[in-house]
Amino acid sequence: MEEFKDEINLGENVVRILKTIFDPEIPVDIYELGLIYDVLINEDNEVKILMTLTSPNCPVAETLPQEVEEKIKSINEVKSCEVEITFDPPWSKDLMSEEAKLELGML
């Protein structure tokens, strides 16, 4: 049971780190923006993140996934991190959290 608890804590740590990464054009973190589609953590503490960008032409298309990977790898328990970018489904404002919409004056 103790191992399972650690996985939950690692998942929470990953989310906490993701909430420190911001899209440079929008003053909201990438997690609340809905850019993170999935976070997978296996029993070896290898993390895979499925994410999108606000558009395929996003100016940080090269650097944002790299920043995500580096910051997640900085968590002590994480053995490795892979970030996969997808545009299926494409990002839309509907994916944003209520908090993000409120922050951007959309509510």
Side-chain angles (χ1 to χ4, degrees), residues 11-26:
E12 289 172 358
N13 284 341
V14 168
V15 168
R16 194 164 44 248
I17 294 292
L18 291 171
K19 287 185 173 193
T20 68
I21 303 170
F22 287 79
D23 184 305
E25 298 183 325
I26 307 168

Side-chain angles (χ1 to χ4, degrees), residues 47-58:
V47 178
K48 181 170 183 179
I49 295 175
L50 183 64
M51 67 177 288
T52 193
L53 302 168
T54 50
S55 83
N57 304 325
C58 181

Side-chain angles (χ1 to χ4, degrees), residues 88-106:
D88 183 26
W91 180 83
S92 75
K93 291 184 283 191
D94 297 338
L95 296 171
M96 292 168 53
S97 69
E98 295 294 311
E99 184 180 312
K101 290 177 183 172
L102 190 62
E103 178 80 25
L104 296 173
M106 298 173 128

Side-chain angles (χ1 to χ4, degrees), residues 3-14:
E3 262 181 58
F4 187 68
K5 184 175 177 278
D6 289 346
E7 273 182 43
I8 291 170
N9 289 341
L10 181 54
E12 289 172 358
N13 284 341
V14 168

